[in-house]
Amino acid sequence: MVPFSFGGHSLLALPQGAVFWPARRAMLVADLHFEKASWFARGGQMLPPYDSIATLADLTALVAASGAEEVWCLGDSFHDVDGCARLPARARDMLLALTGGMRWTWITGNHDPHMVDRCGGGVVDEAVLHGLMLRHEARPGEPRCELSGHYHPKLRVRVRGKQVARRCFVATDTKLILPAFGALTGGLDAHDPEIVRAVGQRAEALIPVADRMLRFPIAA
């Protein structure tokens, strides 16, 4: 976990793409996209059906290691509105163990806009915690400091002649976009105009590594 400050709060960035808020003992994650593989399977594109279990295993481990007492999911937690109903029994048990053991809040996203409480936890469209706005998609012009997801940012750099892509956070003084936490998610280049439009000028791509934060300016 790498400490950083945002909106006057001390937070910790995790290499897995989550944010831990020590003062609240809260874990924040974005874009879990549970049951994405089964959604594609319904259309005839067969993918290994283990994405939800893999994502839940990673999240369970982070919660246990951090001692988190609440979890906030910043939208697109399920790949579609029926994703919860398609969870295999093992994944459902893993999820219910989490949602039943702490304060758990789902923020709706564009993939799950009409989500209802069928897997435990509460459902909201957005939330404000101690002055920080939590929502799925960054809103240009939002005056409050804002944490969001949606874009699945990745930084692509060339190292020793090879292109390497790493999930990253995108940050300005008032915007923080989390990378996708889900095991089966793609990524949008952090320099993409859509991300720049969402966060504005003077943005950086942040990659937590061991005990330090790597910072890369994003060209407007």
Side-chain angles (χ1 to χ4, degrees):
M1 295 186 182
V2 180
F4 70 106
S5 179
F6 181 72
H9 297 276
S10 297
L11 306 176
L12 298 170
L14 283 70
Q16 297 89 336
V19 168
F20 185 65
W21 190 343
R24 289 187 62 98
R25 304 211 63 80
M27 188 72 69
L28 287 77
V29 292
D31 298 280
L32 302 171
H33 283 271
F34 292 137
E35 290 308 295
K36 182 175 181 178
S38 64
W39 183 85
F40 275 102
R42 293 195 306 180
Q45 185 175 348
M46 306 307 294
L47 297 172
Y50 309 116
D51 54 310
S52 297
I53 291 173
T55 299
L56 283 163
D58 290 343
L59 187 51
T60 299
L62 282 188
V63 166
S66 65
E69 296 175 358
E70 56 184 285
V71 171
W72 292 81
C73 301
L74 305 183
D76 285 1
S77 301
F78 292 88
H79 193 66
D80 63 289
V81 294
D82 297 322
C84 180
R86 293 200 311 277
L87 281 171
R90 181 183 171 195
R92 179 178 291 277
D93 289 345
M94 295 170 72
L95 180 54
L96 290 175
L98 287 169
T99 60
M102 65 187 67
R103 179 183 180 185
W104 187 286
T105 306
W106 309 100
I107 290 176
T108 57
N110 57 292
H111 276 264
D112 48 13
H114 306 298
M115 182 179 174
V116 295
D117 179 11
R118 291 179 292 179
C119 291
V123 180
V124 297
D125 292 331
E126 56 187 34
V128 180
L129 300 181
H130 305 292
L132 297 185
M133 168 59 70
L134 309 185
R135 58 165 54 104
H136 177 58
E137 184 175 354
R139 184 174 298 171
E142 169 62 63
R144 293 164 291 191
C145 291
E146 173 193 76
L147 293 93
S148 62
H150 182 64
Y151 292 102
H152 305 196
K154 284 190 173 182
L155 182 68
R156 291 174 170 84
V157 295
R158 191 163 290 279
V159 179
R160 298 175 184 174
K162 296 182 179 180
Q163 189 177 65
V164 178
R166 291 284 297 273
R167 72 176 84 188
C168 68
F169 300 85
V170 172
T172 67
D173 289 342
T174 59
K175 301 282 189 186
L176 182 64
I177 298 178
L178 277 64
F181 189 87
L184 187 60
T185 52
L188 185 64
D189 191 288
H191 294 270
D192 190 276
E194 282 295 304
I195 291 180
V196 175
R197 179 197 63 80
V199 299
Q201 305 294 317
R202 299 181 181 178
E204 293 182 309
L206 309 179
I207 298 180
V209 177
D211 59 348
R212 61 196 176 105
M213 187 81 82
L214 304 182
R215 298 176 179 269
F216 301 84
I218 293 176

